[in-house]
């Protein structure tokens, strides 16, 4: 007689064991999830400022840099062209330029510094009305004008021959000039010069100032030297006394 259990009972028994295994697996998974949640909660309570996502951050692979050796060119004996330095040309001033007087400066030293020549002092005076020609005093910090190279001294304009009376000629005031002296040079008058140039103060003319001079207004007078009158010598007689007999 066969004592084996029927097939249906075997299958039922297998199903029961399988259900028990599944239940154990489900409870185990649930327990793991609860344990993981507790761990995350503890970590968050310990450091609440740290985001939870950083706990699951994955490592980013660091790229590996592969250096490819570059070919180094072999130096050759090819001559190199050295650029020739260009000459710096100093521009020559076309007109007077400003200069600040330094400690120890004089008109003579400034004239020599800028190679103004023998007439350098007069050139500086004639374009700087603030400098007294008689004293030639300058002060540290004064702003003066320096003549440009090649500047000439202002010279008096000669009166052309047979020039009509009242004609005007240009004239640049020289150091030491006065209106009376200028009028004498051109056979003019002080009043005529003042009127022709609208001068408010006849005594305030400046060295280098340009004036229009009406010429030949007066006839030059010739001053004659005193002449001596010849005198006839008077003979002087010395009496001779003879002894009385």
């Amino acid at each position: 007689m066969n004592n084996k259990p029927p097939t249906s009972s075997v299958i039922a028994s297998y199903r029961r064991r399988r259900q028990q295994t599944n239940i154990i697996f489900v409870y185990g998974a649930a327990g793991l999830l609860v344990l993981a949640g507790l761990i995350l909660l503890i970590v968050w309570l310990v450091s609440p400022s740290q985001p939870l996502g950083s706990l699951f951050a994955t490592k980013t692979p660091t790229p590996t840099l592969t250096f490819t050796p570059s070919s180094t060119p072999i130096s050759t004996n090819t001559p190199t062209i050295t650029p020739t330095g260009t000459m710096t040309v100093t521009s020559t001033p076309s007109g007077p330029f400003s200069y600040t007087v330094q400690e120890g400066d004089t008109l003579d030293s400034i004239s020599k510094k800028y190679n103004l020549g023998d007439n350098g002092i007069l050139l500086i005076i004639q374009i700087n009305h603030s400098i007294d020609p008689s004293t030639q005093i300058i002060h540290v910090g004064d702003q003066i004008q320096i003549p440009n190279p090649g500047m000439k001294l202002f010279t008096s304009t000669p009166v052309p021959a047979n020039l009509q009376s009242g004609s005007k000629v240009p004239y640049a005031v020289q150091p030491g000039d006065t209106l009376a002296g200028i009028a004498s040079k051109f056979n003019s008058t002080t009043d005529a010069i003042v009127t022709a140039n609208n001068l408010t103060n006849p005594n305030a003319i400046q060295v280098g100032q340009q004036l229009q001079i009406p010429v030949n207004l007066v006839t030059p007078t010739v001053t004659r030297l005193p002449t001596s009158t010849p005198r006839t010598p008077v003979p002087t007689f010395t009496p001779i006394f003879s002894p009385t007999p």
Side-chain angles (χ1 to χ4, degrees):
M1 186 175 178
N2 190 2
N3 294 326
K4 291 182 180 181
T7 302
S8 58
S9 62
V10 173
I11 293 173
S13 177
Y14 174 74
R15 288 179 176 174
R16 283 194 300 270
R17 285 195 303 269
R18 185 175 179 180
Q19 289 177 354
Q20 291 176 356
T21 303
N22 291 337
I23 292 172
I24 294 173
F25 178 76
V26 170
Y27 279 110
L32 289 177
L33 291 175
V34 172
L35 181 60
L38 290 175
I39 293 174
L40 292 177
L41 180 62
I42 293 172
V43 172
W44 181 77
L45 291 176
V46 173
S47 57
S49 60
Q50 184 179 3
L52 295 177
S54 61
L55 298 175
F56 303 97
T58 58
K59 293 183 178 181
T60 302
T62 303
T64 303
L65 299 177
T66 303
F67 297 96
T68 304
S70 59
S71 59
T72 303
I74 301 174
S75 60
T76 58
N77 295 326
T78 303
T80 57
I81 300 174
T82 303
T84 304
T86 57
M87 296 178 61
T88 302
V89 180
T90 303
S91 59
T92 302
S94 58
F97 56 93
S98 180
Y99 175 77
T100 303
V101 177
Q102 306 296 320
E103 183 72 30
D105 273 347
T106 62
L107 293 186
D108 183 58
S109 65
I110 295 173
S111 174
K112 292 177 180 178
K113 180 178 181 180
Y114 291 101
N115 300 319
L116 299 181
D118 297 335
N119 295 325
I121 295 177
L122 293 178
L123 288 170
I124 296 174
I125 291 175
Q126 78 177 2
I127 64 173
N128 291 276
H129 300 161
S130 60
I131 300 177
D132 187 351
S134 60
T135 61
Q136 301 181 9
I137 295 176
I138 55 178
H139 302 89
V140 176
D142 286 350
Q143 291 286 335
I144 63 174
Q145 295 295 312
I146 304 299
N148 55 290
M151 177 178 285
K152 302 297 182 182
L153 277 175
F154 299 140
T155 57
S156 58
T157 304
V159 180
N162 301 323
L163 189 63
Q164 184 179 0
S165 176
S167 299
K168 296 178 181 179
V169 296
Y171 177 75
V173 177
Q174 305 295 308
D177 270 347
T178 62
L179 285 189
I182 297 172
S184 177
K185 289 180 182 179
F186 293 95
N187 301 325
S188 185
T189 64
T190 302
D191 293 337
I193 298 175
V194 170
T195 303
N197 295 275
N198 297 321
L199 299 179
T200 57
N201 186 357
N203 298 320
I205 58 175
Q206 303 289 336
V207 175
Q209 183 177 353
Q210 296 290 328
L211 299 176
Q212 295 293 322
I213 311 299
V215 299
N216 296 336
L217 297 180
V218 296
T219 302
T221 57
V222 179
T223 303
R224 295 182 179 181
L225 296 175
T227 58
S228 60
T229 303
R231 300 176 63 185
T232 302
V234 178
T236 303
F237 296 97
T238 302
I240 301 175
F241 298 95
S242 58
T244 302

